[in-house]
Amino acid sequence: MGIKQKTENDSMSDDTQPPESRGEFALINFIRSRAGQTPAAGSLGIGDDCALFPCGNDTIAVTTDMLIEGVHFDTSAPLRQVGWKAAAVSFSDVAAMGIRPEVLLCAAALPERFSMQQAREIILGLEDACVRYGVILAGGDTTSSDGPLSLCTTAFGRAGGLRPVLRSGARPGQVILVTGSLGGSILGKHMTFEPRVDEAVLLNQRFKLGAMIDISDGLAADLHHIIEESKTGAILEADAIPLSDAARVLAGKDGLSPLYHALHDGEDFELLFTMDAAEAQRLVEKPPFDTPVCIIGTVAESGFFIRENSSLNPLEPKGYEHFK
Ligand code: ADP
Ligand code: MG
């Protein structure tokens, strides 16, 4: 490995490029188109919350996430929380497949200004999350950096007989559900959230799920990922979307509505999923966990809408996107 000189053309924000070739999702589409995808039977490559691959009679789910100081957390964030978040984002992606994370690796680039105590705080945060979710911290890498703190986590889980729940499993007529409440995570939840691991596994064990994703980009953007992969549409019911207290507080400060924050704020790390209506009724009447869960819309043949005061308005899939 060596250090590649950065040229002008490497810049993701190079505005000499046509607009359709910019942005995080344009890059992911490019990577996907270049991946020479010849997956083995039963495996799934780029495009879901985890990659899946067969291993003996089982299927392994694996995901990797990068957290950068100044992008995913403030320099003022307690480092133990930073460590927690680094582990929790990856656990959330494994959970989004309906699978329990079991093993974590963490590669850390620690700023030269860091003391040993600061480095330890990060490790303690990773450990907090691993202990909470029963995950083994099995390795990683440590390097110093003259740049910002960055942490790259990789989490693995085994399906163990459960069917992985894909983004592509939504079908017209199904209903759309979400756990918890949404919006305003920037006020704190984005650092301290609890990935919905137990909820995801219980849902997958006890109910027939269509599609599932964890909300990292925002409700509208992540629902749009589901309908794109499933080749369907969706209608959200504005009145049914669970607004968090933080969405209301933030709306009071910035003049946007709490609904806007619930639709478009990122990093709530709740589960967004679809299932047949009768199955959903069974779930909301008697959820197998304490976390709130509610029905917020329906999967349609096509289109992307929100019903507000009885009128159907087009919904924009905007949410958080890197490299805009
Ligand atoms: P999530 O928000 O669930 O972490 P992302 O939006 O980051 O998912 O990624 C969507 C898909 O694109 C995933 O399957 C991910 O593995 C893939 N992906 C993202 N960035 C890259 C990359 N640099 N190289 C290869 N695959 C990538
Ligand atoms: Mg995800």
Side-chain angles (χ1 to χ4, degrees):
M1 283 197 295
I3 297 174
K4 184 175 173 289
Q5 292 297 312
K6 193 173 169 145
T7 67
E8 283 229 312
N9 286 341
D10 289 334
S11 169
M12 281 304 303
S13 54
D14 174 8
D15 48 26
T16 62
Q17 299 288 315
E20 66 276 13
S21 66
R22 292 212 299 261
E24 177 185 356
F25 302 120
L27 179 66
I28 291 173
N29 284 339
F30 175 75
I31 296 167
R32 214 168 169 180
S33 75
R34 304 291 300 176
Q37 293 219 58
T38 51
S43 79
L44 172 77
I46 293 167
D48 220 299
D49 293 288
C50 286
L52 297 173
F53 60 92
C55 182
N57 291 330
D58 214 333
T59 298
I60 306 288
V62 58
T63 181
T64 195
D65 290 280
M66 179 102 91
L67 254 64
I68 310 276
E69 179 179 6
V71 178
H72 300 93
F73 55 91
D74 288 340
T75 44
S76 60
L79 290 167
R80 197 153 174 168
Q81 275 184 14
V82 173
W84 170 279
K85 178 173 183 177
V89 293
S90 286
F91 296 171
S92 181
D93 272 330
V94 180
M97 310 302 289
I99 292 174
R100 181 174 296 285
E102 292 175 79
V103 173
L104 182 74
L105 306 177
C106 178
L110 304 175
E112 276 149 11
R113 65 185 148 85
F114 263 35
S115 65
M116 186 62 177
Q117 186 51 34
Q118 286 176 299
R120 282 190 183 141
E121 285 296 309
I122 296 169
I123 304 306
L124 290 175
L126 288 170
E127 191 184 296
D128 289 340
C130 286
V131 168
R132 163 70 179 81
Y133 292 98
V135 175
I136 302 163
L137 179 58
D141 193 23
T142 304
T143 176
S144 65
S145 145
D146 60 5
L149 169 63
S150 71
L151 297 171
C152 176
T153 48
T154 302
F156 296 79
R158 282 174 297 185
L162 287 174
R163 188 182 60 88
V165 188
L166 309 185
R167 294 180 180 183
S168 58
R171 297 291 172 263
Q174 287 181 340
V175 295
I176 301 164
L177 299 98
V178 72
T179 57
S181 61
L182 303 177
S185 78
I186 192 71
L187 296 183
K189 184 182 175 189
H190 80 114
M191 295 302 300
T192 57
F193 69 93
E194 304 237 323
R196 302 302 192 188
V197 171
D198 296 332
E199 294 84 346
V201 174
L202 280 166
L203 285 169
N204 198 16
Q205 281 170 339
R206 304 202 186 163
F207 297 87
K208 190 166 181 294
L209 302 176
M212 189 151 70
I213 193 169
D214 64 323
I215 300 184
S216 54
D217 300 329
L219 168 60
D222 285 314
L223 180 57
H224 199 256
H225 292 319
I226 286 185
I227 69 165
E228 270 188 327
E229 295 300 323
S230 302
K231 300 184 174 48
T232 61
I235 301 174
L236 283 181
E237 304 294 336
D239 291 347
I241 295 170
L243 307 174
S244 66
D245 292 344
R248 292 196 176 88
V249 171
L250 204 52
K253 289 185 179 168
D254 65 12
L256 295 167
S257 67
L259 179 64
Y260 183 95
H261 284 294
L263 286 170
H264 302 298
D265 288 355
E267 301 213 323
D268 262 310
F269 295 102
E270 296 294 345
L271 296 170
L272 176 67
F273 55 102
T274 73
M275 62 207 301
D276 289 346
E279 192 76 339
Q281 215 47 52
R282 186 165 75 83
L283 168 62
V284 294
E285 271 164 24
K286 209 169 174 225
F289 41 71
D290 293 334
T291 306
V293 58
C294 59
I295 298 173
I296 58 168
T298 43
V299 181
E301 292 283 348
S302 61
F304 195 48
F305 297 101
I306 181 159
R307 197 187 328 266
E308 259 182 293
N309 306 321
S310 322
S311 71
L312 217 50
N313 303 320
L315 179 60
E316 272 205 64
K318 64 173 176 242
Y320 192 83
E321 184 173 9
H322 294 277
F323 302 125
K324 283 290 275 184

